[in-house]
Amino acid sequence: MTPVAERSELWLERLKPYRQRLAGVPELVVEGKLSRMVGLTLEAEGCRAAIGSLCQVETKTGKKIGAEVVGFAGARLFLMPTGDTHGLEPGCRVIPLGMNSLANVGFGLLGRVLDGAGNALDNKGSLDTDAKVSLSGATINPLSRKPIREALDVGVRAINAVLSVGRGQRMGLFAGTGVGKSVLLGMMTKFTNADIVVVGLIGERGREVNEFVLKILGEEGLRRAVVVASPADDPPLMRVHGALLATSIAEYFRDQGLDVLLLMDSLTRYAQAYREIALAIDEPPATKGYPPSVFAKLPQLVERAGNGDEGCGSITAFYTVLTEGDDTNDPIADAARGVLDGHVVLSRALAESGHYPAIDIEASISRVMPDIVDPEHMQRARDLRRLYSTYQQNKDLISVGAYRPGADPRIDKAIEKNPAIMEFLQQDMDEAVDMSRSLNELAELLAAP
């Protein structure tokens, strides 16, 4: 044996214990070091990891902070932390975990309140889950989806009668701040005819989480619900994970053959969290400070809701969309309208006049309504819209007394019916009006002389 071969054999013998210790490990994890932190972004060098994979950053004091890979440039990794970054300094260990974010799902989540990472917030003990699924979900073949053919009773008279929602539809609630979108969302949470309710409170005030659970859901409503809360003070990545987690939980129950109601408040805060992440890794802004990737993320989230394959259940989703300055042409509102199956617009003028829910039926639409209601219902909804619109268009003339009765029969009828229409469109937040009652009251309203 040559001297070179002898040395090779010797080294192989010395490495034998280490090779045995690493048996079954697919690859050696290479640690890196934290080199820089700019804004919300951590930069790591010396390690490799794929986009979306998890890492652990360890400080010199032993504190461990979770992070996710959101970008890279050459040998540098860009990480977004999921927790508090106090204590980080240059040289901290960065350990790739070799796994992507997963969601724990199962019927044991019913009645529980979770944070964006899937941990319990309600002090009710450990979570009992059945499986782990990817936060990013699975793509459904559009030709395999069941068509929307069945109307869903949401317990709100104005929506049931004039903006009928189908089981498996994705709707947006468009409103400015303080117009009552959270209250309307809460009404549908309590009154909608669904097997499971999944609520995602994303980027909203922390005070609203406890109020929603105690006042709106209540003990009875919470039994069939799962609440995922990631308030405004959470890191942006955690807010994004909260929206993805709520959707993953809804998908799990849909795949069990159940009809799920998914309520997310709000889609705008989800988009703003992605904007923070994208800008932190130097993606150039495009429209009102939103980078192009944000507008690609919206349909990826929304398209996960809806009907599943034949034999599966459904996810009927309502996403609140915050229209900044009451501008319904805000970039996120405009993008959301394009990917949703309809929108309910809440009017500040109606809210300020004490009209609740403040639904502007002129500006609202349900795109699947013609496919899920009978022709008679559809015609009555159009007749009510026509009367409402006629009155609103001539409201100024009527208010100042410039309109003379008898000049136009359409306006005369609109004036006569307006008080009954306004009463019909209002509803107390604790009052449930089912589909049958909504249609009967609509018919009575239009039939009355």
Side-chain angles (χ1 to χ4, degrees):
M1 183 178 292
T2 64
V4 174
E6 287 180 358
R7 286 198 298 272
S8 297
E9 287 291 333
L10 180 61
W11 277 110
L12 286 174
E13 188 63 29
R14 289 180 178 177
L15 289 174
K16 190 174 180 179
Y18 299 98
R19 294 172 64 190
Q20 290 174 345
R21 190 183 307 168
L22 291 173
V25 178
E27 62 179 284
L28 186 64
V29 175
V30 178
E31 295 181 6
K33 289 187 177 181
L34 191 63
S35 60
R36 192 168 71 144
M37 178 177 180
V38 179
L40 301 172
T41 311
L42 310 178
E43 291 187 15
E45 295 179 348
C47 57
R48 296 184 63 180
I51 295 291
S53 61
L54 300 178
C55 295
Q56 184 174 278
V57 183
E58 187 174 327
T59 68
K60 294 180 180 179
T61 61
K63 179 181 178 181
K64 297 177 181 178
I65 300 169
E68 183 177 307
V69 180
V70 295
F72 59 85
R76 293 178 298 154
L77 288 182
F78 299 142
L79 311 175
M80 191 63 62
T82 59
D84 182 24
T85 56
H86 283 90
L88 291 181
E89 58 183 314
C92 289
R93 297 170 62 200
V94 178
I95 308 168
L97 301 181
M99 57 184 291
N100 291 342
S101 297
L102 299 174
N104 293 307
V105 294
F107 285 89
L109 296 180
L110 292 176
R112 304 302 301 270
V113 182
L114 318 176
D115 64 10
N119 302 313
L121 287 174
D122 51 14
N123 298 318
K124 292 183 179 179
S126 59
L127 297 170
D128 182 16
T129 55
D130 303 328
K132 290 180 180 289
V133 297
S134 171
L135 272 184
S136 58
T139 303
I140 299 178
N141 186 331
L143 296 180
S144 300
R145 285 186 185 267
K146 294 182 297 183
I148 300 173
R149 292 291 181 265
E150 180 186 355
L152 178 69
D153 183 0
V154 299
V156 179
R157 181 168 43 226
I159 296 177
N160 281 342
V162 190
L163 302 166
S164 300
V165 175
R167 198 176 291 278
Q169 187 173 353
R170 290 84 54 94
M171 289 284 284
L173 297 180
F174 289 69
T177 55
V179 182
K181 60 183 183 300
S182 296
V183 174
L184 180 57
L185 206 68
M187 291 173 66
M188 290 187 288
T189 303
K190 291 189 290 185
F191 305 147
T192 299
N193 181 19
D195 299 320
I196 303 290
V197 178
V198 179
V199 181
L201 302 175
I202 310 302
E204 297 298 320
R205 294 179 289 273
R207 171 184 61 82
E208 292 183 338
V209 176
N210 203 33
E211 286 187 2
F212 193 94
V213 173
L214 296 178
K215 291 185 179 179
I216 297 177
L217 268 180
E219 186 177 345
E220 186 66 29
L222 190 59
R223 287 198 185 102
R224 63 169 184 144
V226 183
V227 179
V228 179
S230 184
D233 58 344
D234 275 359
L237 187 63
M238 191 59 66
R239 281 176 265 148
V240 168
H241 280 188
L244 299 177
L245 176 60
T247 306
S248 296
I249 293 171
E251 286 175 324
Y252 170 80
F253 289 122
R254 177 186 63 190
D255 294 343
Q256 308 305 310
L258 300 174
D259 292 320
V260 182
L261 176 66
L262 172 62
L263 304 169
M264 191 168 295
D265 188 9
S266 71
L267 191 64
T268 304
R269 304 300 187 198
Y270 168 80
Q272 289 174 346
Y274 253 118
R275 177 174 65 181
E276 292 178 44
I277 294 171
L279 293 178
I281 58 175
D282 293 331
E283 184 180 352
T287 307
K288 259 194 171 180
Y290 287 98
S293 63
V294 172
F295 300 100
K297 293 295 183 181
L298 288 178
Q300 288 178 11
L301 178 71
V302 170
E303 283 296 322
R304 294 171 60 181
N307 285 335
D309 297 336
E310 292 292 340
C312 292
S314 66
I315 300 176
T316 306
F318 284 88
Y319 301 92
T320 65
V321 180
L322 179 64
T323 53
E324 297 182 3
D326 294 332
D327 179 13
T328 55
N329 294 317
D330 173 85
I332 297 303
D334 198 43
R337 261 196 307 270
V339 298
L340 295 170
D341 302 322
H343 49 273
V344 176
V345 177
L346 302 185
S347 164
R348 185 173 298 278
L350 288 174
E352 289 174 348
S353 67
H355 181 118
Y356 287 102
I359 298 175
D360 183 350
I361 62 171
E362 280 189 296
S364 306
I365 189 172
S366 171
R367 291 185 176 135
V368 305
M369 186 175 177
D371 300 324
I372 60 173
V373 302
D374 58 63
E376 186 178 14
H377 177 187
M378 195 69 205
Q379 185 58 49
R380 286 172 176 163
R382 286 174 179 160
D383 290 343
L384 187 139
R385 278 178 174 272
R386 192 177 299 115
L387 289 169
Y388 181 88
S389 181
T390 299
Y391 184 88
Q392 295 301 320
Q393 290 169 8
N394 296 276
K395 185 176 181 179
D396 291 340
L397 290 176
I398 297 168
S399 298
V400 299
Y403 174 74
R404 290 184 302 170
D408 188 330
R410 296 180 303 110
I411 300 177
D412 290 339
K413 188 173 182 181
I415 294 173
E416 179 188 352
K417 294 285 187 182
N418 186 66
I421 290 174
M422 299 305 284
E423 184 179 350
F424 175 83
L425 295 175
Q426 295 183 68
Q427 182 176 331
D428 188 80
M429 63 179 294
D430 296 320
E431 177 191 9
V433 182
D434 62 24
M435 180 68 77
S436 176
R437 179 181 161 191
S438 299
L439 300 186
N440 289 338
E441 291 181 0
L442 176 62
E444 292 171 3
L445 168 64
L446 296 174

